[in-house]
Amino acid sequence: MTKILIENVHKTFGTREVLCGIDLAVGVGDVVCVIGPSGSGKSTLLRCVNALEPVTSGRVVVDDIVMTDPKCDLNSARRNIGMVFQSFNLFSHMTVRRNITLAPMDLKKMPAAEANALAAELLAKVGLADRIDAYPRQLSGGQKQRVAIARALAMKPDVMLFDEPTSALDPEMVGEVLTVMKQLALDGMTMIVVTHEMSFAKEVADRVIFMDNGLIVEQGTPQDVFSNPKEPRTQDFLRRVSQAG
Amino acid sequence: MDFVTTIRGSWQLLLSGLGITVAVSLIAIAAGIVIGFVSCMMSLSKISPLRVLAQAYVWVIRGTPMLVQAFIIYFGLPQVIQQFVPGFTLGAFLAAAITLSINAGAYLSEIFRGGINAVDPGQIEASRSLGLSGGRTMRRIILPQAVRITTPSLVNQFIITVKDSSILSIIGLGELVNHAKVYVGGTYQFFATYVWVAVLYLAFISVLMLVSRRIERNLNRDKDSD
């Protein structure tokens, strides 16, 4: 069953074409990792899924809702699509608790007691039960990102989008975030993860997408893409990444 | 140069002047916040006539001296209105309050706009990605953060408004400087009188700064507004 359908999506910024016709289908419970050099359009593609970035042409369908339809109620559709950003973007003027309870209380009219219980439950899940009353500035990068994941989960989304969730983290904090994401994948969440963490992609992804210059150059199982890359550009990219690592 | 004699002779006059200075300044600050907020929202609106109107307001007020605005409002405006409403007059206090309010409003509008634009776009994206509407994002995320960002500039503008009120002595507003002039006219105690005037401004503005600092500290405890 298809959860996310991307059809012939083009995106232009000014005269620069960032996405040059992307087709992608993601099934229920699939974990798709998108890799590729910076500037290849992978973050833009992710942002087109929840329409944070409007497409220039093409169609994006999530759970049978056509996100690219101008009449689409995006506010309602986005409740079902969690997103985690590279720079965390926790609401800096709110406690961890309030960061998590804001959307359920405002949008689902959830009573405060229930929302607080939900926040506690989600924080326990990401291993931060004791930080519920902290402010974002009191947290480390890895903790912020785990709170951001909890915040996105508070709306009980069916789909989670991760935009380079570990790229802004100190190396020793990458693991704690990836562990939470792995657990989420095991729980059956449909996920698209834009990442530079090749080991995460190898271990967790059902499918790996390699993008370059606004196109999907190669895709397949982690085994296919990492051990047997067919395209020269993929081979070149993986060689450079393994040298750097 | 006798400070004691001067304050003994002038304190009633100066204090009543200070009262008017405080009143007209506080009215202008309160009205200016409202005018500035509305103008700021208009200037960020998607509806272009609203945007143009707000931009024109800020442009005209910032681009002309307040003294000239005060003359237009106090002397000029009644002349125009008298053609439709015979015998119309505008009191000095009302004219002064209007002038000072629209002035503060224009500057505050720009401060608010700057504060809203200074909020990290990532905060807005995070809010929208959760499904919060644009309006809700404005109320919950952007405005609370913009207020924190702009507090120092707001306080600065409030102080300028208090000091600008002295210009309105020209149209006969019986505020602090005006009353000091009256006293000096009879006694020729220029130095002592105006030093006392300076002390009184300093005292009022210091109170204003203390109150602002307390408010600022409360905001920066990072408590959510609910």
Side-chain angles (χ1 to χ4, degrees), chain A:
Chain A
M1 217 173 89
T2 305
K3 196 77 180 170
I4 304 167
L5 186 64
I6 296 168
E7 282 179 338
N8 196 24
V9 162
H10 288 257
K11 174 69 190 181
T12 332
F13 288 115
T15 55
R16 209 165 66 89
E17 195 167 28
V18 183
L19 297 177
C20 318
I22 300 282
D23 291 286
L24 181 67
V26 179
V28 174
D30 280 358
V31 176
V32 173
C33 284
V34 185
I35 60 169
S38 54
S40 57
K42 44 196 199 305
S43 286
T44 305
L45 175 65
L46 194 72
R47 294 159 58 82
C48 286
V49 174
N50 65 352
L52 271 189
E53 209 70 77
V55 302
T56 307
S57 69
R59 229 161 71 99
V60 175
V61 186
V62 180
D63 259 337
D64 300 324
I65 296 167
V66 184
M67 303 294 290
T68 42
D69 182 343
K71 290 194 291 281
C72 176
D73 180 358
L74 288 178
N75 294 330
S76 157
R78 283 175 182 149
R79 295 179 196 185
N80 202 26
I81 310 171
M83 186 161 192
V84 175
F85 300 85
Q86 179 177 351
S87 50
F88 326 127
N89 298 344
L90 290 182
F91 304 131
S92 55
H93 59 302
M94 296 179 178
T95 59
V96 165
R97 179 203 308 275
R98 194 68 184 120
N99 263 278
I100 298 172
T101 59
L102 175 71
M105 285 175 70
D106 263 25
L107 304 178
K108 287 183 174 169
K109 306 294 167 211
M110 189 183 278
E114 195 184 327
N116 285 333
L118 175 67
E121 178 197 322
L122 289 170
L123 284 173
K125 195 169 170 176
V126 300
L128 288 170
D130 54 332
R131 302 317 303 271
I132 192 161
D133 290 314
Y135 281 96
R137 63 185 155 77
Q138 299 167 320
L139 303 176
S140 71
Q143 291 175 329
K144 281 184 198 167
Q145 196 59 300
R146 286 186 281 154
V147 171
I149 294 172
R151 175 177 69 180
L153 291 174
M155 289 301 284
K156 304 242 185 289
D158 287 340
V159 172
M160 284 285 281
L161 309 175
F162 292 86
D163 188 5
E164 304 196 26
T166 58
S167 296
L169 295 177
D170 291 335
E172 77 269 22
M173 292 172 183
V174 170
E176 62 192 64
V177 172
L178 293 182
T179 307
V180 170
M181 290 168 62
K182 264 179 226 167
Q183 188 55 50
L184 212 51
L186 288 175
D187 293 346
M189 179 65 76
T190 307
M191 293 161 59
I192 302 182
V193 184
V194 172
T195 187
H196 293 292
E197 294 294 330
M198 298 304 150
S199 56
F200 176 83
K202 267 179 214 164
E203 190 186 337
V204 182
D206 297 302
R207 192 148 42 113
V208 175
I209 310 281
F210 173 71
M211 277 182 75
D212 193 18
N213 283 328
L215 283 169
I216 293 178
V217 176
E218 185 160 0
Q219 59 175 306
T221 63
Q223 179 76 15
D224 295 338
V225 175
F226 287 113
S227 310
N228 264 318
K230 286 174 189 63
E231 298 290 329
R233 275 191 283 178
T234 319
Q235 293 163 1
D236 185 49
F237 173 74
L238 291 172
R239 193 162 48 241
R240 275 183 289 133
V241 169
S242 64
Q243 275 163 2

Side-chain angles (χ1 to χ4, degrees), chain B residues 78-113:
Chain B
Q79 212 173 37
V80 175
I81 296 175
Q82 273 159 15
Q83 295 176 357
F84 308 98
V85 187
F88 177 87
T89 56
L90 193 57
F93 186 84
L94 193 55
I98 292 170
T99 307
L100 208 52
S101 300
I102 59 172
N103 238 275
Y107 287 96
L108 289 171
S109 171
E110 286 297 281
I111 293 173
F112 289 143
R113 198 167 64 87

Side-chain angles (χ1 to χ4, degrees), chain B:
Chain B
M1 246 184 66
D2 187 342
F3 289 102
V4 179
T5 319
T6 301
I7 198 65
R8 277 208 185 118
S10 67
W11 69 272
Q12 281 172 313
L13 204 53
L14 293 188
L15 279 190
S16 75
L18 180 66
I20 298 292
T21 293
V22 171
V24 80
S25 306
L26 292 184
I27 288 171
I29 288 170
I33 289 173
V34 175
I35 296 169
F37 184 74
V38 171
S39 160
C40 168
M41 287 296 134
M42 283 167 64
S43 73
L44 295 170
S45 159
K46 288 196 189 91
I47 306 159
S48 67
L50 291 181
R51 220 166 43 230
V52 170
L53 202 64
Q55 282 163 354
Y57 160 64
V58 171
W59 176 59
V60 169
I61 298 301
R62 293 209 303 180
T64 54
M66 195 174 79
L67 185 61
V68 176
Q69 295 161 14
F71 283 165
I72 290 174
I73 289 170
Y74 184 59
F75 298 116
L77 206 57
Q79 212 173 37
V80 175
I81 296 175
Q82 273 159 15
Q83 295 176 357
F84 308 98
V85 187
F88 177 87
T89 56
L90 193 57
F93 186 84
L94 193 55
I98 292 170
T99 307
L100 208 52
S101 300
I102 59 172
N103 238 275
Y107 287 96
L108 289 171
S109 171
E110 286 297 281
I111 293 173
F112 289 143
R113 198 167 64 87
I116 285 171
N117 287 333
V119 173
D120 173 12
Q123 298 276 312
I124 298 159
E125 287 191 342
S127 173
R128 299 307 302 270
S129 80
L130 287 166
L132 273 74
S133 65
R136 217 180 264 277
T137 299
M138 180 60 87
R139 287 199 305 281
R140 292 294 200 185
I141 310 299
I142 303 176
L143 288 180
Q145 295 194 21
V147 167
R148 284 169 175 75
I149 295 169
T150 54
T151 312
S153 318
L154 290 177
V155 174
N156 205 34
Q157 183 55 45
F158 298 162
I159 290 169
I160 290 172
T161 298
V162 172
K163 296 202 274 195
D164 274 357
S165 69
S166 63
I167 294 174
L168 300 164
S169 61
I170 297 277
I171 59 168
L173 178 70
E175 46 70 73
L176 186 51
V177 168
N178 189 323
H179 281 191
K181 267 196 245 171
V182 171
Y183 183 74
V184 165
T187 61
Y188 294 98
Q189 288 291 331
F190 291 100
F191 187 71
T193 308
Y194 286 121
V195 167
W196 278 115
V197 166
V199 167
L200 289 173
Y201 272 112
L202 198 57
F204 175 39
I205 287 170
S206 300
V207 170
L208 201 65
M209 285 164 85
L210 282 175
V211 171
S212 309
R213 198 166 301 160
R214 175 152 300 179
I215 293 171
E216 195 175 350
R217 205 175 307 144
N218 277 336
L219 285 174
N220 288 338
R221 269 194 310 196
D222 273 340
K223 279 269 153 63
D224 184 15
S225 46
D226 324 349

